[in-house]
Amino acid sequence: MHISDLPYADPGRPDVRSGPRFLLWLGRNQLAGQLKAMLWGVLHMASVATFPLAVGIAVQAVIDRSGARLALAGGLMLLLGALTALGDTMLHRVAVTNWITAAARVQQLLARRTAELGAALTRRVAAGEVVAVSTGDVEKIGWFVEALSRFASAALTTVVLCVALVIYQPALGVLIALGVPVLALAVLPLLPPATKRADEQREKAGRATELASDTVAGLRVLRGIGGEELFLSRYRRASQEVRKAAVRSARMWALMAAVQVVLPGLLLIAVVWQGVGLAQDGRIGVGELVTVYGVVTFLLFPLRQFEEIAMAYSFSRPSAQRAARVLGLERTAPVAYDGQREAVLAGDLYDPASGLLVPAGQLTAVVCGDPDAAGRLADRLGGHAPEGADGTPSALLGGVALDAVPLDAARAAVLVQDKDPVLLSGTLSELLDVPASGAVTARAALSAAQCGDVLTSLAQGSTDDSGDPMRTRITERGRSLSGGQRQRLALARSLVTDPEVLVLDEPTSAVDSHTEARIADGVRALRKGRTTVVFSSSPLLLDRADRVVLVRDGRVAAEGTHAELVRTHPVYRAVVTRRTDGELDTELAQFEKSEQIEESA
């Protein structure tokens, strides 16, 4: 896999049972790249390790006054220098490619999971955690993948050198072969506390990121109520906690680095001490001593790879765990799909959990009274399973369970507009350039959503000479627009798609009553003959609906027209007239008492 080949046609199905299993899955998918990097790493390190042999030959040639061997040593040095440069260059190239392709695979998987879950994602995972996984955690996972190949080549080269030294000079080779494993394993007792401190740092950093994300998202509201200083002070405290945790973690890693310097130094002293004694006794030559000394010095380099892989795994393991947790989120429980059903994905929409039936081709208004309950019901109607809803039956469209069809088919059939829709940055024409049936034009959707004043405002603020509002750029999340303007543009975007079923959750909560009435008329006219569900308690919207359904305690409590329910159902009347909880309880008690009297009669 080359960088030019990205993105992956199919990033695969990850093993998300745990963080280590996810890392192992990534490694298996990059086996060819890892082997290639390991081979280049072995070439690089073997060339560096063999260089002391050439130096030893040169020293011995000088002592023996042999010009031929000195020339041989010089030629060997040039060859080893060229191989070292080639191996190092290609190792870096392939290892970084492994890093980038692994990070791209993870990001592609995260993007697909995010698109699949949609608005339900942030209800199940904090937005700050999603940001942390897709940025910092992806980088740490890529770091481990990149370091793994260099560690493998360092481990292989170290084993080969130790065996070669035992054969070349047994008296010193045995000492080195016994000392190197001790050096490599010396940091293991320090890893658990270092990992614990690193985990604490990442946990605090994640909380700080979530706090910052929430603060930025609600900055306009915070300024309106004068609460930005309170949140800024909270972020300062969280930031200081992250700093202190980072310092504690750095101290432990500094201790590990010190161990990796001191212990190899002691091994080198021991080798030189014994080697000098052997040279004085005439058991080894000066050239051999120089060769062994040079090889031991080189072995300090692979040992640093052992420290790096330990650090990389320590940082990447919790990052992989978080990524696996996000990637493990499912839209619904997987259900077998019969491809023959796709042709009949139309008709009445029915939610078995609540008993809500939405007749095809009608405008149905749903009154819940509880915004959270309304959001959960809207998710179910779109085929999403809210958090903690395992085992809840899926909504049915035309008798077909939405979780039994492919995601793209379900999305094309049912579109759910969240109560807080997001506007991405770009021009207005780009905002409205969404997958659609083509039956509804952008102008018609904007007109139905009563966006005339929005178009005028955009035209006045346009930097384009044409003054075309469709070419005016909208800032990220539509921050340059008012809440009502953003809401109407989001509604227009949903209307353009013209899905079989459109579910709107409080689409007019940020507009005035006159605009709300015109929007209700516009949506009714534009969606004539199409199935539309509106979650609202506004009488202006309810009065224009073909059917109104009251949902209370998760079940359908009443249905009819707005006028009928206001006249006959006190609980419905209390909800739509914005009664207090006490008044609502009183109305409910009176209603239940009257029903008991009727039943007894």
Side-chain angles (χ1 to χ4, degrees):
M1 185 71 184
H2 301 284
I3 297 176
S4 59
D5 298 327
L6 295 175
Y8 290 95
D10 180 13
R13 189 173 185 84
D15 187 344
V16 295
R17 288 176 290 177
S18 66
R21 287 179 180 272
F22 180 63
L23 291 175
L24 180 62
W25 176 83
L26 276 179
R28 286 202 306 268
N29 279 273
Q30 286 196 318
L31 190 58
Q34 292 291 338
L35 290 175
K36 188 186 298 184
M38 186 184 71
L39 292 176
W40 285 117
V42 168
L43 175 63
H44 164 62
M45 295 183 185
S47 301
V48 175
T50 311
F51 204 86
L53 176 62
V55 175
I57 293 174
V59 171
Q60 195 64 43
V62 172
I63 295 174
D64 297 340
R65 297 180 180 276
S66 173
R69 277 190 291 163
L70 185 60
L72 175 63
L76 185 57
M77 288 181 185
L78 290 176
L79 176 61
L80 292 175
L83 292 177
T84 299
L86 175 64
D88 191 23
T89 300
M90 295 306 298
L91 169 63
H92 179 75
R93 178 185 178 89
V94 177
V96 171
T97 298
N98 289 339
W99 181 338
I100 294 174
T101 52
R105 186 187 295 274
V106 177
Q107 286 179 326
Q108 201 169 334
L109 288 169
L110 289 170
R112 291 193 175 192
R113 184 62 64 191
T114 301
E116 179 180 338
L117 292 173
L121 175 64
T122 52
R123 295 192 183 97
R124 304 173 68 178
V125 179
E129 182 171 356
V130 177
V131 173
V133 170
S134 59
T135 54
D137 287 336
V138 167
E139 182 179 353
K140 292 181 177 67
I141 293 171
W143 175 30
F144 173 75
V145 171
E146 184 263 346
L148 183 61
S149 55
R150 288 189 282 109
F151 163 73
S153 57
L156 180 59
T157 306
T158 299
V159 172
V160 172
L161 283 178
C162 288
V163 173
L165 284 175
V166 171
I167 297 174
Y168 177 72
Q169 184 48 251
L172 295 177
V174 172
L175 174 63
I176 296 170
L178 294 176
V180 168
V182 174
L183 298 182
L185 300 176
V187 297
L188 290 183
L190 300 177
L191 276 179
T195 303
K196 182 179 179 181
R197 293 188 181 188
D199 289 344
E200 291 176 356
Q201 176 193 349
R202 282 187 292 272
E203 183 180 352
K204 293 180 183 296
R207 287 201 295 266
T209 302
E210 292 178 18
L211 182 59
S213 177
D214 293 341
T215 302
V216 171
L219 190 57
R220 176 176 294 185
V221 177
L222 291 175
R223 285 176 175 171
I225 62 176
E228 64 268 28
E229 279 301 324
L230 174 62
F231 273 78
L232 285 175
S233 63
R234 291 181 180 176
Y235 182 74
R236 290 190 190 101
R237 288 195 298 270
S239 180
Q240 288 302 312
E241 291 179 1
V242 174
R243 181 188 62 81
K244 293 176 182 177
V247 170
R248 293 183 69 248
S249 178
R251 286 173 179 166
M252 183 57 67
W253 291 111
L255 176 60
M256 293 175 61
V259 170
Q260 289 291 318
V261 172
V262 172
L263 293 183
L266 294 177
L267 176 62
L268 190 60
I269 292 173
V271 170
V272 172
W273 183 277
Q274 185 175 358
V276 169
L278 294 174
Q280 288 177 342
D281 294 339
R283 297 171 59 185
I284 64 172
V286 176
E288 292 176 314
L289 178 59
V290 171
T291 299
V292 173
Y293 173 81
V295 172
V296 173
T297 304
F298 160 77
L299 285 175
L300 303 183
F301 172 68
L303 287 176
R304 286 197 291 271
Q305 306 302 321
F306 286 72
E307 176 190 355
E308 182 183 3
I309 194 65
M311 183 183 297
Y313 180 74
S314 173
F315 277 88
S316 65
R317 182 183 56 78
S319 295
Q321 185 64 46
R322 281 197 294 268
R325 183 166 61 248
V326 174
L327 293 175
L329 297 176
E330 294 288 346
R331 171 170 162 257
T332 56
V335 180
Y337 167 66
D338 180 3
Q340 297 178 349
R341 290 182 173 182
E342 187 172 8
V344 295
L345 198 59
D348 295 345
L349 181 64
Y350 177 66
D351 175 41
S354 64
L356 173 63
L357 175 64
V358 179
Q362 293 189 13
L363 173 60
T364 302
V366 181
V367 178
C368 284
D370 180 1
D372 293 334
R376 291 191 294 270
L377 179 53
D379 281 342
R380 287 205 304 275
L381 292 179
H384 297 285
E387 185 177 14
D390 295 340
T392 302
S394 169
L396 307 176
L397 180 58
V400 179
L402 289 177
D403 64 357
V405 300
L407 178 62
D408 54 352
R411 284 281 177 83
V414 183
L415 174 66
V416 179
Q417 177 179 299
D418 192 65
K419 62 167 60 69
D420 296 312
V422 175
L423 302 181
L424 301 178
S425 61
T427 63
L428 181 55
S429 60
E430 291 172 341
L431 174 69
L432 299 178
D433 184 16
V434 293
S437 67
V440 178
T441 65
R443 294 291 179 182
L446 290 168
S447 176
Q450 300 300 309
C451 295
D453 63 315
V454 183
L455 297 178
T456 302
S457 176
L458 291 175
Q460 292 174 348
S462 174
T463 57
D464 190 88
D465 295 336
S466 65
D468 184 1
M470 301 298 292
R471 302 174 64 179
T472 303
R473 191 164 190 82
I474 299 173
T475 58
E476 183 183 4
R477 292 181 175 267
R479 300 187 192 280
S480 58
L481 305 172
S482 68
Q485 290 174 328
R486 289 197 300 272
Q487 194 172 58
R488 282 177 282 162
L489 285 179
L491 175 59
R493 180 179 59 186
S494 299
L495 293 173
V496 165
T497 62
D498 189 38
E500 182 70 27
V501 179
L502 177 60
V503 181
L504 304 173
D505 190 0
E506 295 289 352
T508 58
S509 59
V511 301
D512 60 79
S513 57
H514 297 289
T515 304
E516 185 177 33
R518 292 196 298 270
I519 290 175
D521 291 333
V523 171
R524 180 181 176 85
L526 188 67
R527 294 285 300 172
K528 184 177 181 180
R530 306 289 272 172
T531 307
T532 308
V533 185
V534 180
F535 286 83
S536 178
S537 58
S538 169
L540 292 172
L541 282 174
L542 300 175
D543 188 48
R544 287 161 173 80
D546 297 315
R547 293 175 67 255
V548 179
V549 179
L550 173 65
V551 176
R552 185 166 177 81
D553 296 328
R555 297 291 301 175
V556 172
E559 54 184 301
T561 65
H562 172 62
E564 292 172 350
L565 292 177
V566 167
R567 185 176 62 256
T568 62
H569 205 289
V571 176
Y572 176 84
R573 183 169 58 249
V575 172
V576 299
T577 56
R578 310 300 202 272
R579 301 287 183 90
T580 64
D581 290 342
E583 293 172 333
L584 181 59
D585 291 339
T586 301
E587 293 269 13
L588 181 60
Q590 293 175 350
F591 179 68
E592 291 176 345
K593 184 177 181 180
S594 63
E595 282 190 333
Q596 292 174 357
I597 293 175
E598 290 178 1
E599 289 177 358
S600 61

